[in-house]
């Protein structure tokens, strides 16, 4: 990487890239919004109040996906080449420039939109209209790309000089424990890894998810609520209520993972609002949450019903689709705990409650459907009976399946 962007040279870079004139550059200013450890983000305001978000990927050691911006640029190119996908307004590309060598991506900044996560946390209000718009938009994207080899082959395009042998399977466990962890993770946080290794049913469920993973459509792969934007006048609009952003992880994948990630993000609002005390049982903590699950359930149910109403054929393709959504939600919660340990260096009682709930979602998905959505799986599927067998045989779990390349020895 030759050029390192900053607030001092970003305007010059945009001018050199032909994204603003010298006159505009003179009157522009830049500021640094939320910047992650992985990316540098610069928000540039041009005359006329046009805003551009300029992102540059940092050089991070052991980065599993060092070409994330390429994925978003590839998604942009996909929408350009296949205009029918561009008609899905929630997924419309905002990218205006990409430079692979410097790992720089520039996209329009939607000043009339705000993050859905912030809206929920600020207002403690979960309108069904927003959940319905998300479910419909995501279902439209999955349906439009479902089993379309031309889209799959396009998304398999690799950066210049690189190779792609297969698409990433997100159904991965926590992985093996390396000696380095004892220097990076506080002793009390090691309890998470101890718990994770204790339950064979948990490992078996993740193994089954990985084994049954069958990519069939374009997936976002990072659909947390922070990556869903809501229009400031959403109550007065009939369309364009929401936008899906940050397509850096998109690829050909399993639609249940996208929906499961969304469900997990909703559940996190509830789980992180728990009143946690060592003297309280888990059931008591769940009932004392500042954001009760019963408040979120109507939006969760609306989300999955709107999705299935838009893309009902997925039930013919996978009759156990709803259960897979629940299991992926549990897996996402597990990885959220791991991320919290990595960045904040703690594993508290709140994290313990999240772990136990995630374990339940993964190990007992059929029973967990009622907990999450407020109605049973059969009640959901009755609405789409012609696409699914309501009484399919229970699958036998394989406790000894190899499911990721880093085999971990129990007890090490």
């Amino acid at each position: 990487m030759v050029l390192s962007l900053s607030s001092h040279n970003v305007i010059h870079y945009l001018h050199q890239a032909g994204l603003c004139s010298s006159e505009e550059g003179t009157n522009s200013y830049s500021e640094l919004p939320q910047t992650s450890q992985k990316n540098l983000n610069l928000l540039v305001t041009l005359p006329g109040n046009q805003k551009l978000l300029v992102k540059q990927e940092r050089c991070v050691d052991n980065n599993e996906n060092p070409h994330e911006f390429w994925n978003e640029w590839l998604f942009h190119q996909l929408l350009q080449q296949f205009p029918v996908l561009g008609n899905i307004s929630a997924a419309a590309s905002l990218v205006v420039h990409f430079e692979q060598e410097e790992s720089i991506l520039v996209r329009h900044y939607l000043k009339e939109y705000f993050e859905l996560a912030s809206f929920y946390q600020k207002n403690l209000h979960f309108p069904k209209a927003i959940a319905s718009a998300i479910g419909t938009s995501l279902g439209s994207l999955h349906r439009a790309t479902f089993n379309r080899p031309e889209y799959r082959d396009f998304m398999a395009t690799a950066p210049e000089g690189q190779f792609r042998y297969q698409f990433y399977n997100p159904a991965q466990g926590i992985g093996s424990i390396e000696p380095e962890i004892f220097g990076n993770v506080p002793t009390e946080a090691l309890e998470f890894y101890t718990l994770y290794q204790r339950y064979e049913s948990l490992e078996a469920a993740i193994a089954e998810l990985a084994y049954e993973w069958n990519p069939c459509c374009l997936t976002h792969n990072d659909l947390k609520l922070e990556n869903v934007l809501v229009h400031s006048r959403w109550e007065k609009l009939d369309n364009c209520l929401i936008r899906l952003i940050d397509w850096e992880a998109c690829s050909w994948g399993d639609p249940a993972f996208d929906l499961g990630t969304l469900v997990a993000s909703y559940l996190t609002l509830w789980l992180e609002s728990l009143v946690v005390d060592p003297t309280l049982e888990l059931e008591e903590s769940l009932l004392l949450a500042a954001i009760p699950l019963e408040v979120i359930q109507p939006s969760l149910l609306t989300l999955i019903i709107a999705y299935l109403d838009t893309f009902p054929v997925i039930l013919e393709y996978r009759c156990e689709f709803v259960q897979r959504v629940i299991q992926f939600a549990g897996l996402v919660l597990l990885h959220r705990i791991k991320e919290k340990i990595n960045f904040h260096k703690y594993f508290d009682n709140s994290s313990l409650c999240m772990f136990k709930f995630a374990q339940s979602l993964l190990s007992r998905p059929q029973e967990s459907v009622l907990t999450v959505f407020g109605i049973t799986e059969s009640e959901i599927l009755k609405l789409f009976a012609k696409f699914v067998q309501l009484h399919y045989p229970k699958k036998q779990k394989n406790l000894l399946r190899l499911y990721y390349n880093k085999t971990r020895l129990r007890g090490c």
Side-chain angles (χ1 to χ4, degrees):
M1 185 181 298
V2 178
L3 174 65
S4 179
L5 287 182
S6 69
S7 57
H8 301 291
N9 63 8
V10 63
I11 300 301
H12 177 72
Y13 175 81
L14 292 177
H15 174 59
Q16 293 294 319
L19 297 176
C20 72
S21 65
S22 56
E23 293 79 10
E24 289 176 325
T26 302
N27 298 320
S28 303
Y29 66 90
S30 61
E31 58 186 60
L32 204 65
Q34 184 177 1
T35 296
S36 68
Q37 290 187 344
K38 292 177 61 178
N39 301 327
L40 171 73
N41 299 336
L42 289 163
L43 181 61
V44 179
T45 303
L46 301 175
N49 204 26
Q50 178 190 2
K51 292 179 181 289
L52 295 175
L53 182 61
V54 184
K55 307 172 72 174
Q56 184 171 37
E57 194 170 14
R58 299 179 187 271
C59 294
V60 181
D61 293 336
N62 300 322
N63 190 352
E64 294 181 357
N65 189 359
H67 299 289
E68 288 188 343
F69 288 171
W70 167 260
N71 287 340
E72 183 152 5
W73 176 248
L74 190 63
F75 173 70
H76 170 78
Q77 295 296 313
L78 177 74
L79 299 188
Q80 299 300 310
Q81 183 159 333
F82 302 97
V84 65
L85 299 179
N87 293 331
I88 304 174
S89 60
S93 175
L94 303 171
V95 176
V96 296
H97 174 75
F98 172 65
E99 186 175 345
Q100 181 181 339
E101 183 178 350
E102 305 292 349
S103 194
I104 296 174
L105 184 86
V106 182
R107 68 171 176 85
H108 289 296
Y109 185 83
L110 299 173
K111 55 182 180 293
E112 293 186 349
Y113 287 76
F114 48 81
E115 287 185 3
L116 180 57
S118 300
F119 171 80
Y120 283 154
Q121 291 168 348
K122 179 180 179 180
N123 298 284
L124 300 181
H125 178 46
F126 305 88
K128 291 183 180 180
I130 293 177
S132 179
I134 298 171
T136 299
S137 298
L138 186 61
S140 297
L141 175 68
H142 290 168
R143 181 190 63 192
T145 58
F146 180 63
N147 281 345
R148 297 292 296 270
E150 63 271 33
Y151 300 150
R152 180 199 62 209
D153 294 343
F154 192 96
M155 293 306 297
T157 305
E160 185 177 353
Q162 303 291 325
F163 295 95
R164 283 190 178 181
Y165 296 102
Q166 60 185 8
F167 293 108
Y168 174 70
N169 182 348
Q172 302 292 322
I174 300 304
S176 58
I177 297 179
E178 305 291 344
E180 294 78 13
I181 193 173
F182 297 100
N184 297 325
V185 174
T187 303
E188 58 272 16
L190 293 176
E191 181 184 0
F192 167 68
Y193 296 92
T194 303
L195 288 170
Y196 175 75
Q197 293 185 89
R198 182 179 298 169
Y199 300 99
E200 287 189 352
S201 60
L202 187 60
E203 292 187 86
I206 298 174
E208 201 67 37
L209 269 181
Y211 180 74
E212 296 291 340
W213 183 75
N214 188 12
C216 61
C217 65
L218 178 65
T219 51
H220 183 285
N221 293 334
D222 193 23
L223 265 185
K224 52 191 177 184
L225 295 177
E226 288 82 358
N227 287 338
V228 180
L229 301 183
V230 182
H231 200 283
S232 58
R233 294 182 289 109
W234 63 270
E235 293 178 287
K236 300 178 181 179
L237 298 177
D238 295 326
N239 53 23
C240 299
L241 268 68
I242 62 114
R243 297 290 295 267
L244 308 179
I245 62 169
D246 287 352
W247 292 82
E248 298 166 10
C250 71
S251 69
W252 201 250
D254 188 329
F257 179 67
D258 268 354
L259 201 55
T261 304
L262 271 172
V263 170
S265 201
Y266 274 94
L267 292 174
T268 299
L269 294 173
W270 164 54
L271 291 168
E272 291 188 343
S273 74
L274 298 181
V275 176
V276 179
D277 188 273
T279 62
L280 295 177
E281 297 292 334
L282 173 61
E283 292 74 14
E284 294 178 279
S285 293
L286 296 179
L287 292 174
L288 294 174
I291 304 177
L293 179 58
E294 292 76 13
V295 174
I296 301 176
Q297 273 180 338
S299 282
L300 283 169
L301 182 59
T302 299
L303 172 70
I304 194 167
I305 293 298
Y307 178 91
L308 294 175
D309 192 49
T310 305
F311 187 27
V313 177
I314 191 60
L315 295 174
E316 184 177 4
Y317 181 74
R318 277 196 175 279
C319 58
E320 76 284 11
F321 179 77
V322 176
Q323 290 191 42
R324 285 181 62 80
V325 169
I326 289 294
Q327 288 184 299
F328 271 122
L331 183 60
V332 171
L333 290 177
L334 283 183
H335 282 281
R336 185 176 183 89
I337 296 171
K338 181 183 177 183
E339 290 172 4
K340 184 184 293 185
I341 291 174
N342 289 342
F343 289 106
H344 301 292
K345 308 299 182 183
Y346 68 86
F347 179 76
D348 56 9
N349 288 328
S350 175
S351 299
L352 178 61
C353 288
M354 184 178 290
F355 173 84
K356 291 181 178 179
F357 190 73
Q359 178 194 4
S360 177
L361 297 183
L362 277 159
S363 305
R364 299 185 296 277
Q366 192 168 19
E367 297 90 334
S368 298
V369 172
L370 175 61
T371 303
V372 172
F373 297 113
I375 64 175
T376 64
E377 180 188 19
S378 60
E379 289 176 307
I380 294 175
L381 297 182
K382 281 178 183 178
L383 301 174
F384 311 94
K386 69 177 181 177
F387 293 99
V388 67
Q389 297 176 0
L390 295 179
H391 302 287
Y392 44 86
K394 186 177 180 180
K395 296 170 63 176
Q396 184 177 2
K397 291 184 177 180
N398 186 344
L399 297 181
L400 298 177
R401 191 180 305 282
L402 296 177
Y403 56 98
Y404 54 76
N405 56 0
K406 291 185 178 180
T407 305
R408 177 175 47 75
L409 298 178
R410 182 171 298 282
C412 292

